[in-house]
Amino acid sequence: MKGKSFFVDLTLCTACRGCQVACKQWKKLPAEKTRNVGSHQNPQDLSSKTIRLVRFNEVRDDKGKLNWFFFPEQCRHCIEPPCKHIANMYNSDAVIQDKETGAVMMTDRAILPEGRLESWQLCPYNVPRKDEETGLWSKCDMCNDRVKVGMLPACVTSCPTGTMNFGNRDEMLELAHRRLAEVQKTKPHAYLADPESVRVIYLCEASPENYHDSLIASTETTRKMVAKAVHSTKKTRREFITGRFGQTDNRA
Amino acid sequence: MTNHWNDIENSDCILIMGSNAAENHPISFKWVVKAQKKGATVIHVDPRFTRTSARSDMYMALRSGTDIAVLGGMIKYIIENKSYFYDYMRDYTNASFLVAEEYGFDDGLFTGYHPETTSYDKSKWAFKMDKDGVPLRDMTMEDPRCVLQLVKKHYERYTLDKVSSISGLSVKDLTSLYKTYAATGKRDKAGTIMYAMGWTQHSTGVQNIRAMAMIQLMLGNIGIAGGGVNALRGEGNVQGSTDYALLYHILPGYLKTPLAGQDTLEIYNNTYTPKSLDTKSANWWQNYPKYSASLIKAMYSEDTPEEAYNFLPRLDSHRADKYSWIPMIDRMHRGKFTGSLIWGMNPACSSPDSIKTRNALAELDWMVNVNLFQCETSDFWKGPGMDPKKIKTETFYLPCASAIEKEGSISNSGRWMQWRYAGPEPLDGVMTDGHYFHELWMELVRLYQEEGGAYPDPITRLSFNNMCEKDDKGNFHFSAQQTAKLANGWFTKDVTINGKEFKKGQQVPSFAFLQADGSTLSGNWLYCNSVTDEDGNKSERRDRTQTPEQERIGLFPNWTWCWPVNRRIIYNRASVDMKGNPWNPEKSVIRWDGKKWQGDVPDGGWAPGTYHPFIMRKHGFAQLFGPGLADGPLPEHYEPLECPVESHPFSSQLSNPTAVHIATELKAMCDPRFPFVGTTYRITEHWQSGSMTRWQSWLVEAEPQMFAEISPELAKLRGIENGERVMLESVRGSMWAIAMVTERIQTFIIDGARIHMVGMPWHYGWITPVDGGDSANMITPNVGDPNTGIPEYKAFMLNIRKLREGEK
């Protein structure tokens, strides 16, 4: 498959926040006013000002060993991005996809009807965020402007440990599978997160909820999304009712 | 570092102790990760579970200040299990040396202690010599007076039970640590230590490192690829700063500051030039007079070294309790200084006991702070608790260019002198430090010439222009390139050395050509060879060429230049046997091919077997028994001066009897008002006192406020919730912090008691951000190491509690 991909090796990340800061610097995004709420993670969530966030999670496993999992979160640049299909129904070209790189980018037309959608309804990973003042939705754009002139995304350039990798998709997939095999020698439960459907492939050593509740596109979220999404006006009554009440099984 | 950053990749076992490398040296972790990918084991021993621990293969928590107990236990393990590299230990260390009968150790004190001066008479720790003054050796290393047997006897007390009881590590974890690390004693295995402030910032700081140096020597890990004793330096150019003697007790190139009474250069040289009658000891410091003369000539080119020696300032003694930071601030606090140039630092936040330090500044008649931005020091008179009406100090704030706005070298931890170029222009009117020094000097010369003074010569005769370039109007301007030339040095007249002719003005090719008679000058003998006529400024090199042998260990000998003479791994003579064959041919550092050495620059170019390998030591052998330090020839466990226990199992000497401290200041020892152990540290997102990073919005966003990390058990004890604002108190003062309740801080079981720790960063200060908090040094003590004076920031006693009604 054409285009670019990230391979993010979470077994190497030291949560240095270099990527979080580099992203803000390149995109000229302002800092948010934060306070220490008892966690090193700051800000607490993605926002229109924080499109890349390093998440911290302390977990004691069932063997009693203490772990500290780090998850540098960003848009996954899905191969088939739901945000594009859904948002463009309200405003054409609210979300575009670069044919060469595969970057999924929200444009200045990404303003959706007020109150109609929440992030998880646009995205199974709950990533895009709306600017409360302007109504504009935004997220990571793969630093497509850098990539098109042969540079790496800002986050990848800043990473000291080799956690962040970027390149042609086939090379990144090959790297991901090779590294997975290596890691599985000592950590047999390691896996790649949704590698076939996204361009940001995370290598994880613990089950998804140890990192973040939206590390992978769970079927629960997908189901909710499908139920709440805008459907065509030509509806059967069943479709209308299941759409309203969120049931997708066969009971009327 | 004895080795260098890239070399970490060559290690089989990386012990990170006294360091939080992933957080505070994030780029270093690139090399740790590379080693891990090749199968290396990474062990992290630290009072806290940090981002380093998250990436390490093994993590264990030790109570802050018990490193010597743990390392002493490792020494015992290595000896008992014979994990040492026998040949290396016998042939390259002083393990076989016989120690004179006078030396002894009893109940926590070495022979020769004088309580009235709180110091040792080190002559009691001498070796037995033959009639030529060469140390006697027992090559079987079984004589009870030989160093190995004395070391064995010394650490017999460091049993697993005692070490576990005092440090908090379980016997299981200790055994696992010892077994894993001691396995690097094999000739084809390399173990390395990455350490930083977690070891140095203690009243036993230097001995912490000595203990590890002994372990590395016993295991044969010095001089080899992937081994070494590797200090992770802090400030970008702190290595450069110590090389160029920012500290009171040394001159550039680690020469000694002269003492009062050493009235001539000859007396001075005789005092500090070691003499050895062992024909097999290279005793490289015998060249001391060449380096001191060349340095003096660099500073005072119009005078002979003998004359200009008189211009050097004198100390009354080298004792850390007289001239280092803690006694200096104490003097300032007592009004003994008129003025102070506080250059490129923020002591109002970085000095222990911030309140005392800030008050000390108020005792000055004048103060100049040179810094990138205003900080708690430049603006001290505006700080909390200060009344400007009552402060007489005239303050000056001089903004200066940052490192990226000017050209010059930065010497990294690996001794690499890497050249940097100016990036953006500084703001209008903001000049470089070099420029300010130049203007200051010119003005002082003018004032001396017009007004006279007590002793003008040291200033008026200083050859400052040696560091300058002349413009076409004939004016001198400070120049980094010219200073680099001066550091290397040049010939002051035409000379012939060993048949080779040199002209006046030629750069000296290496320190082997420096002279004691004033015919050479050199600002720093270590840097002689860095800027030559043939190759120019070698620190500018960015050439990746290397031989396949060099590539195997990532030597990159043509990338920049390092001291000494571009030797990348020092003491590399110990990486080969007496015939010049590498212990581990797969990762050879140097190799004798029959005619000459291949690989790295060898530690002395002579053929194998000519000299003993540790050429910087008088006798030529590395020191297991080290008779030169202030607190003893062997590391011994002592508690921090503020400690949570009344006794420890190794002796009845509770704390370091030679530690630096202010006798009149109260310290908390088992004081029920301050029942918890406090420790300070750094995080990735801020830098030192925060005077640069707290003005940076994205960094403040990530870490906005002063915090204190505590265990869930301590939180429950004090009724504190995660994220709650709490009060920290010590003998020195009090301050608020946001409590972070985390399982990464555990309870330490010490001698049966449950000891709690409170950990905090020292990055914050009142100037910015609003509601960010103040420096952790509000509560740290004026206690320090007796060799260096470095304060004991890592272990002291405090209390933590909820805020009271009305407290902010």
Side-chain angles (χ1 to χ4, degrees):
Chain A
M1 183 185 292
K2 271 187 353 144
K4 303 290 185 184
S5 281
F6 291 82
F7 166 52
V8 185
D9 188 347
L10 295 183
T11 67
L12 304 181
C13 178
T14 58
C16 70
R17 255 78 79 89
C19 62
Q20 184 177 307
V21 171
C23 172
K24 291 232 177 188
Q25 185 187 30
W26 181 254
K27 316 264 335 140
K28 295 186 172 30
L29 289 166
E32 300 188 54
K33 179 93 182 83
T34 54
R35 59 181 190 87
N36 188 320
V37 299
S39 166
H40 287 289
Q41 180 182 316
N42 245 327
Q44 296 313 302
D45 194 19
L46 293 168
S47 75
S48 61
K49 311 284 182 288
T50 303
I51 62 177
R52 178 180 189 82
L53 175 65
V54 180
R55 294 187 182 273
F56 291 63
N57 197 22
E58 294 173 28
V59 178
R60 202 171 277 280
D61 68 20
D62 44 21
K63 292 191 190 69
K65 181 169 179 273
L66 184 64
N67 295 287
W68 205 5
F69 293 113
F70 310 127
F71 177 49
E73 183 174 34
Q74 63 175 105
C75 163
R76 308 300 198 276
H77 294 281
C78 302
I79 309 290
E80 285 298 341
C83 64
K84 175 166 161 250
H85 296 306
I86 295 167
N88 288 353
M89 283 195 241
Y90 293 93
N91 246 343
S92 61
D93 288 341
V95 183
I96 58 176
Q97 202 169 9
D98 186 304
K99 283 188 173 45
E100 269 177 32
T101 64
V104 180
M105 298 174 285
M106 291 188 164
T107 69
D108 54 8
R109 293 172 57 75
I111 295 183
L112 308 174
E114 188 64 40
R116 289 302 292 268
L117 286 175
E118 292 167 27
S119 176
W120 62 265
Q121 293 169 311
L122 274 177
C123 167
Y125 302 99
N126 190 13
V127 163
R129 293 288 185 272
K130 185 176 72 168
D131 182 323
E132 293 304 324
E133 279 169 37
T134 63
L136 186 69
W137 286 81
S138 62
K139 62 175 192 63
C140 161
D141 66 356
M142 201 192 265
C143 274
N144 207 45
D145 52 348
R146 290 171 66 102
V147 174
K148 296 290 261 201
V149 295
M151 294 166 74
L152 294 170
C155 54
V156 179
T157 306
S158 75
C159 179
T161 53
T163 302
M164 298 296 300
N165 303 275
F166 184 86
N168 294 329
R169 182 168 172 80
D170 48 3
E171 284 163 16
M172 289 297 105
L173 275 170
E174 205 246 298
L175 178 61
H177 284 286
R178 199 164 9 104
R179 183 64 188 146
L180 175 67
E182 245 175 73
V183 171
Q184 281 174 331
K185 286 183 198 156
T186 47
K187 296 170 176 152
H189 300 295
Y191 59 93
L192 298 173
D194 302 334
E196 299 311 314
S197 46
V198 300
R199 291 185 183 275
V200 179
I201 303 153
Y202 288 99
L203 168 54
C204 316
E205 55 179 305
S207 56
E209 65 278 4
N210 286 300
Y211 293 97
H212 191 49
D213 53 20
S214 60
L215 171 74
I216 59 171
S218 70
T219 49
E220 169 68 29
T221 316
T222 312
R223 202 159 57 96
K224 277 160 77 176
M225 283 180 64
V226 168
K228 284 275 185 173
V230 171
H231 292 272
S232 74
T233 49
K234 289 214 168 66
K235 257 189 219 226
T236 65
R237 193 177 323 165
R238 172 162 294 144
E239 281 171 322
F240 176 81
I241 289 169
T242 54
R244 274 272 176 233
F245 297 106
Q247 290 174 295
T248 53
D249 62 13
N250 214 8
R251 280 169 282 153
Chain B
M1 278 186 179
T2 57
N3 295 44
H4 58 92
W5 291 117
N6 299 42
D7 184 68
I8 292 168
E9 186 184 352
N10 297 318
S11 190
D12 297 296
C13 186
I14 300 171
L15 175 61
I16 304 175
M17 191 169 170
S19 154
N20 180 8
E23 294 197 37
N24 299 319
H25 289 87
I27 314 300
S28 77
F29 235 70
K30 164 170 146 180
W31 304 106
V32 174
V33 149
K34 283 189 191 223
Q36 245 178 347
K37 281 185 179 171
K38 288 188 199 168
T41 306
V42 178
I43 309 173
H44 189 216
V45 182
D46 193 297
R48 292 184 306 144
F49 185 106
T50 67
R51 287 175 265 187
T52 301
S53 326
R55 290 277 76 89
S56 299
D57 300 299
M58 292 163 69
Y59 164 72
M60 38 202 92
L62 95 166
R63 175 170 67 95
S64 183
T66 59
D67 300 81
I68 290 174
V70 173
L71 296 176
M74 193 186 290
I75 292 172
K76 179 172 189 283
Y77 178 96
I78 289 169
I79 294 176
E80 271 171 12
N81 292 279
K82 297 188 170 28
S83 312
Y84 40 61
F85 186 171
Y86 187 85
D87 290 357
Y88 183 112
M89 197 173 65
R90 179 196 58 206
D91 296 334
Y92 297 160
T93 76
N94 66 6
S96 63
F97 283 27
L98 296 174
V99 177
E101 295 303 327
E102 270 188 310
Y103 164 76
F105 174 82
D106 181 43
D107 195 26
L109 289 176
F110 297 93
T111 345
Y113 182 64
H114 289 269
E116 69 282 5
T117 56
T118 60
S119 66
Y120 281 102
D121 172 9
K122 297 179 206 172
S123 70
K124 304 289 186 205
W125 308 335
F127 296 113
K128 279 190 193 156
M129 306 289 201
D130 67 15
K131 56 175 171 47
D132 294 322
V134 176
L136 288 165
R137 296 168 73 188
D138 166 29
M139 299 309 278
T140 70
M141 298 191 286
E142 280 167 20
D143 188 309
R145 291 306 290 179
C146 83
V147 164
L148 182 62
Q149 296 304 325
L150 288 171
V151 168
K152 181 176 177 189
K153 184 149 172 264
H154 191 88
Y155 293 104
E156 251 162 22
R157 294 163 293 141
Y158 289 69
T159 63
L160 286 167
D161 287 334
K162 287 191 182 142
V163 173
S164 173
S165 165
I166 204 62
S167 67
L169 273 88
S170 67
V171 167
K172 180 161 172 275
D173 279 348
L174 283 169
T175 311
S176 183
L177 167 67
Y178 296 164
K179 186 158 180 237
T180 311
Y181 198 76
T184 66
K186 298 204 171 34
R187 56 193 290 159
D188 63 346
K189 291 287 178 212
T192 190
I193 170 67
M194 294 171 71
Y195 76 89
M197 301 302 101
W199 268 1
T200 60
Q201 288 177 348
H202 287 279
S203 52
T204 55
V206 172
Q207 296 289 356
N208 284 337
I209 294 135
R210 267 276 298 143
M212 193 66 207
M214 289 167 69
I215 288 168
Q216 289 294 71
L217 287 167
M218 293 170 88
L219 296 175
N221 281 330
I222 302 283
I224 66 171
V229 171
N230 295 317
L232 313 186
R233 306 307 302 260
E235 289 283 346
N237 198 20
V238 66
Q239 180 66 53
S241 82
T242 51
D243 295 344
Y244 284 90
L246 203 63
L247 303 173
Y248 72 94
H249 65 301
I250 47 178
L251 298 178
Y254 301 102
L255 305 178
K256 296 269 189 284
T257 307
L259 297 180
Q262 293 168 348
D263 293 338
T264 66
L265 181 58
E266 196 185 343
I267 293 172
Y268 166 78
N269 280 335
N270 281 338
T271 312
Y272 298 119
T273 306
K275 288 157 193 67
S276 168
L277 291 171
D278 183 348
T279 51
K280 292 194 79 176
S281 177
N283 182 23
W284 198 262
W285 274 118
Q286 66 177 292
N287 295 299
Y288 193 106
K290 300 173 183 169
Y291 308 149
S292 59
S294 298
L295 170 66
I296 295 169
K297 193 71 182 171
M299 292 171 73
Y300 298 102
S301 301
E302 307 300 311
D303 300 290
T304 66
E306 289 74 18
E307 287 164 353
Y309 169 76
N310 291 316
F311 304 151
L312 296 177
R314 300 289 198 271
L315 298 173
D316 289 321
S317 91
H318 288 130
R319 283 179 64 129
D321 63 357
K322 297 270 178 294
Y323 291 95
S324 69
W325 183 265
I326 288 171
M328 187 186 80
I329 292 295
D330 189 61
R331 271 209 198 88
M332 195 185 286
H333 191 250
R334 287 186 280 118
K336 303 281 192 203
F337 287 103
T338 314
S340 182
L341 294 165
I342 301 182
W343 209 295
M345 69 180 309
N346 183 16
C349 287
S350 60
S351 176
D353 197 348
S354 305
I355 298 172
K356 178 182 179 183
T357 306
R358 295 167 187 185
N359 288 335
L361 297 172
E363 294 299 321
L364 297 166
D365 290 349
W366 56 265
M367 183 214 60
V368 181
N369 187 231
V370 186
N371 233 319
L372 298 192
F373 311 120
Q374 284 166 269
C375 61
E376 289 74 12
T377 299
S378 65
D379 290 22
F380 79 87
W381 44 277
K382 290 188 215 164
M386 291 277 164
D387 181 359
K389 290 194 186 61
K390 298 208 177 98
I391 298 172
K392 58 168 175 169
T393 320
E394 188 178 3
T395 66
F396 300 85
Y397 166 65
L398 273 185
C400 63
S402 87
I404 61 170
E405 292 167 329
K406 58 189 184 186
E407 187 179 37
S409 67
I410 285 189
S411 297
N412 75 5
S413 302
R415 296 162 280 106
W416 294 13
M417 174 196 165
Q418 302 189 96
W419 198 259
R420 306 286 186 85
Y421 301 96
E425 291 277 326
L427 294 179
D428 222 21
V430 175
M431 314 295 286
T432 66
D433 299 294
H435 175 96
Y436 289 144
F437 281 120
H438 189 213
E439 275 201 36
L440 198 60
W441 172 74
M442 286 194 290
E443 182 63 11
L444 286 171
V445 170
R446 188 189 70 75
L447 285 169
Y448 268 127
Q449 284 167 347
E450 283 180 20
E451 299 175 14
Y455 190 26
D457 288 353
I459 295 290
T460 57
R461 298 195 71 76
L462 190 64
S463 303
F464 199 105
N465 290 334
N466 279 344
M467 295 192 285
C468 298
E469 280 174 14
K470 208 167 29 168
D471 66 20
D472 36 2
K473 292 199 187 71
N475 296 319
F476 286 96
H477 300 277
F478 176 81
S479 154
Q481 286 282 8
Q482 183 58 30
T483 305
K485 284 204 180 105
L486 178 72
N488 183 92
W490 56 77
F491 291 97
T492 61
K493 52 188 203 262
D494 294 357
V495 282
T496 305
I497 300 168
N498 296 339
K500 217 163 173 245
E501 275 176 30
F502 296 100
K503 293 247 163 276
K504 175 180 175 177
Q506 263 188 273
Q507 292 292 102
V508 180
S510 86
F511 52 66
F513 293 88
L514 291 175
Q515 302 296 307
D517 62 5
S519 59
T520 56
L521 56 72
S522 166
N524 190 328
W525 73 274
L526 290 174
Y527 284 80
C528 192
N529 181 245
S530 59
V531 182
T532 60
D533 293 320
E534 301 81 35
D535 300 313
N537 183 344
K538 293 192 238 180
S539 70
E540 294 188 82
R541 299 185 306 178
R542 296 290 183 266
D543 180 0
R544 291 172 200 240
T545 326
Q546 46 186 348
T547 66
E549 192 171 13
Q550 292 167 339
E551 192 179 343
R552 268 211 307 254
I553 59 168
L555 202 68
F556 291 100
N558 298 303
W559 184 277
T560 191
W561 175 93
C562 79
W563 66 260
V565 290
N566 206 33
R567 182 176 302 132
R568 302 280 159 150
I569 295 178
I570 56 183
Y571 310 120
N572 58 30
R573 277 281 183 155
S575 70
V576 298
D577 64 21
M578 305 270 246
K579 294 199 169 64
N581 300 316
W583 300 119
N584 182 5
E586 298 301 306
K587 289 184 185 166
S588 56
V589 179
I590 59 172
R591 178 175 52 84
W592 180 252
D593 71 2
K595 291 206 181 64
K596 59 185 185 54
W597 293 99
Q598 300 293 337
D600 191 9
V601 174
D603 217 334
W606 40 80
T610 315
Y611 292 116
H612 305 308
F614 283 82
I615 64 173
M616 297 311 287
R617 300 253 58 95
K618 178 163 79 173
H619 300 302
F621 294 84
Q623 308 206 108
L624 293 187
F625 187 88
L629 293 175
D631 37 3
L634 294 174
E636 171 70 5
H637 173 75
Y638 299 116
E639 288 288 320
L641 261 68
E642 288 205 339
C643 63
V645 295
E646 283 175 330
S647 67
H648 63 78
F650 304 106
S651 75
S652 58
Q653 181 64 34
L654 185 63
S655 50
N656 189 334
T658 62
V660 171
H661 67 108
I662 308 295
T664 50
E665 286 178 4
L666 185 67
K667 291 162 208 34
M669 286 160 110
C670 293
D671 186 329
R673 295 175 298 159
F674 309 110
F676 311 121
V677 175
T679 192
T680 66
Y681 46 78
R682 300 158 164 88
I683 50 178
T684 318
E685 295 75 9
H686 283 291
W687 181 247
Q688 308 288 54
S689 74
S691 56
M692 289 196 282
T693 55
R694 283 183 278 119
W695 296 102
Q696 219 308 315
S697 58
W698 300 313
L699 298 174
V700 171
E701 177 187 45
E703 293 282 0
Q705 292 177 299
M706 172 58 175
F707 59 83
E709 293 184 306
I710 60 175
S711 69
E713 189 178 317
L714 176 55
K716 191 157 172 236
L717 194 69
R718 283 288 193 256
I720 290 169
E721 285 179 28
N722 191 27
E724 182 182 334
R725 189 172 293 224
V726 295
M727 195 60 89
L728 305 169
E729 316 172 305
S730 79
V731 171
R732 271 72 52 192
S734 61
M735 57 181 304
W736 67 262
I738 303 294
M740 295 181 74
V741 181
T742 168
E743 285 193 60
R744 294 179 295 102
I745 309 288
Q746 61 179 55
T747 307
F748 294 96
I749 314 297
I750 307 298
D751 195 17
R754 302 184 81 77
I755 304 287
H756 296 292
M757 181 178 76
V758 179
M760 66 213 92
W762 59 282
H763 297 305
Y764 295 93
W766 56 262
I767 209 172
T768 192
V770 172
D771 208 33
D774 210 336
S775 172
N777 284 313
M778 300 287 280
I779 59 175
T780 54
N782 291 303
V783 166
D785 177 278
N787 297 287
T788 58
I790 194 169
E792 192 157 51
Y793 297 109
K794 295 290 177 190
F796 54 94
M797 301 302 290
L798 52 65
N799 184 32
I800 186 172
R801 58 169 176 80
K802 291 172 85 80
L803 294 185
R804 296 196 190 109
E805 195 72 39
E807 259 182 343
K808 277 191 287 190

